[in-house]
């Protein structure tokens, strides 16, 4: 039955008051020939930690010949500013090595460079997650989807979604009072935050870092290697595998909401 005099028919256990997470707007379009219920994300009132989360880019400066760690008095060139359409999120120092190894250790560095992390200015301030892995998926540019009657409204649920936001160090925090009980991997259930907030792991840095202009060291939002980015250039890579994992997780939800999704995108 619908709630609040609604003309829409809701699934058992759902109504207009709980079809979407707190802070979201329930959008109904129900009549004689159609029945559509969707969730519209908020456009204001976000936690001060939240930054726009979209596909990202990393801008790196040239390598200095000074092998000393900049945190210990070494010199390092500045990186270029963020490209048009992107906003500065964080920066860090990273060592430069002669070899082509995937990991560049400080002990093998001949110099240092500055890496600036940028995010799309029009990114999502809140987005859907389907487990702890979804924070990494968001780094890879996975789009948002907020189906009604499908979010984790109670503790102990898993085939559902929860709203999250991203902070400047790349980790993701819950939007609201419900979160995932695991911070990594693919097995997680919903639980109340209850004063014990758990941050989801974001993109791991491709090289070891020893601090930088911002503290603690930050992670990069792009999914490519910094070593492959030319001086002053930037890279933006969207992970197709992340999108497939998200769709696969949603298919496991079964018939949680037998409704038409309409206007469920997040526009900030």
């Amino acid at each position: 039955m619908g709630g609040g005099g609604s003309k829409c028919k809701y699934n058992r256990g759902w109504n207009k008051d709980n079809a979407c997470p707190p802070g979201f707007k329930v959008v109904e379009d129900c009549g004689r020939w159609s029945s559509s219920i969707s969730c519209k994300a908020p456009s204001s009132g976000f936690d001060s930690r939240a930054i726009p989360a979209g596909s990202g880019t990393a801008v790196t400066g040239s390598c200095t010949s000074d092998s000393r760690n900049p945190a210990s008095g070494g010199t390092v060139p500045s990186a270029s500013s963020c490209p048009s359409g992107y906003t500065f999120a964080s920066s860090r120092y990273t060592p430069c090595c002669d070899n082509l190894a995937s990991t560049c250790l400080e002990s093998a560095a001949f110099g240092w460079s500055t890496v600036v992390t940028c995010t799309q200015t029009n990114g999502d301030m809140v987005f859907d997650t389907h487990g702890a892995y979804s924070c990494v998926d968001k780094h890879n540019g996975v789009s948002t989807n907020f189906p009604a009657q499908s979010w984790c409204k109670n503790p102990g649920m898993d085939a559902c979604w929860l709203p999250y936001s991203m902070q400047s160090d790349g980790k993701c925090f819950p939007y609201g009072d419900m979160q995932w009980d695991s911070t990594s991997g693919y097995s997680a259930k919903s639980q109340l935050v209850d004063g014990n907030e758990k941050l989801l792991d974001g993109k791991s840095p491709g090289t070891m870092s020893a601090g930088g202009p911002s503290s603690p060291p930050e992670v990069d939002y792009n999914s490519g290697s910094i070593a492959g980015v030319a001086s002053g250039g930037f890279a933006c890579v969207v992970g197709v595998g992340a999108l497939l994992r998200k769709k696969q997780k949603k298919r496991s939800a079964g018939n949680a909401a037998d409704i038409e999704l309409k206007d469920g995108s997040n526009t900030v």
Side-chain angles (χ1 to χ4, degrees):
M1 295 295 292
S6 171
K7 295 181 179 180
C8 294
K9 294 181 179 180
Y10 286 81
N11 296 331
R12 180 175 297 180
W14 298 94
N15 55 59
K16 187 174 182 179
D17 295 329
N18 66 12
C20 300
F24 283 67
K25 180 181 179 181
V26 177
V27 180
E28 295 183 327
D29 183 12
C30 302
R32 183 176 180 180
W33 305 111
S34 65
S35 181
S36 171
I37 307 169
S38 61
C39 298
K40 184 176 182 180
S43 58
S44 61
F46 301 105
D47 189 292
S48 60
R49 296 173 292 169
I51 63 171
S55 56
T57 182
V59 179
T60 181
S62 58
C63 291
T64 181
S65 58
D66 188 345
S67 62
R68 294 176 299 165
N69 188 322
S72 301
T75 58
V76 60
S78 299
S80 302
S81 58
C82 293
S84 177
Y86 288 79
T87 301
F88 173 86
S90 62
S91 60
R92 67 180 178 90
Y93 298 135
T94 187
C96 302
C97 295
D98 287 321
N99 58 51
L100 299 178
S102 58
T103 300
C104 177
L105 300 176
E106 180 178 351
S107 59
F110 69 81
W112 292 78
S113 65
T114 301
V115 177
V116 173
T117 299
C118 311
T119 59
Q120 286 185 328
T121 303
N122 62 345
D124 302 307
M125 297 297 287
V126 61
F127 49 89
D128 58 309
T129 64
H130 298 261
Y133 63 89
S134 291
C135 188
V136 174
D137 282 356
K138 193 59 183 177
H139 280 271
N140 291 333
V142 173
S143 60
T144 58
N145 185 27
F146 304 120
Q149 306 182 90
S150 297
W151 71 285
C152 309
K153 63 177 179 176
N154 297 315
M157 301 177 68
D158 55 6
C160 48
W161 63 273
L162 285 175
Y164 268 71
S165 295
M166 186 179 293
Q167 60 187 34
S168 62
D169 65 355
K171 291 182 179 293
C172 300
F173 63 93
Y175 174 89
D177 60 0
M178 198 73 73
Q179 65 181 352
W180 297 111
D181 63 2
S182 177
T183 59
S184 62
Y186 292 86
S187 178
K189 293 182 180 296
S190 58
Q191 69 172 190
L192 290 171
V193 175
D194 198 22
N196 184 26
E197 183 183 81
K198 295 180 179 179
L199 300 178
L200 302 185
D201 293 337
K203 182 71 71 175
S204 299
T207 58
M208 293 186 66
S209 173
S214 58
S215 182
E218 307 294 350
V219 297
D220 301 327
Y221 291 145
N222 66 310
S223 58
S225 171
I226 292 300
V229 184
S231 175
F234 65 96
C236 178
V237 183
V238 176
V240 177
L243 181 59
L244 294 177
R245 289 199 304 273
K246 181 176 179 180
K247 289 182 177 180
Q248 183 179 21
K249 180 72 174 180
K250 287 185 176 181
R251 284 197 295 268
S252 68
N255 299 321
D258 185 18
I259 56 174
E260 173 191 359
L261 176 63
K262 182 178 182 182
D263 191 28
S265 60
N266 177 20
T267 303
V268 181

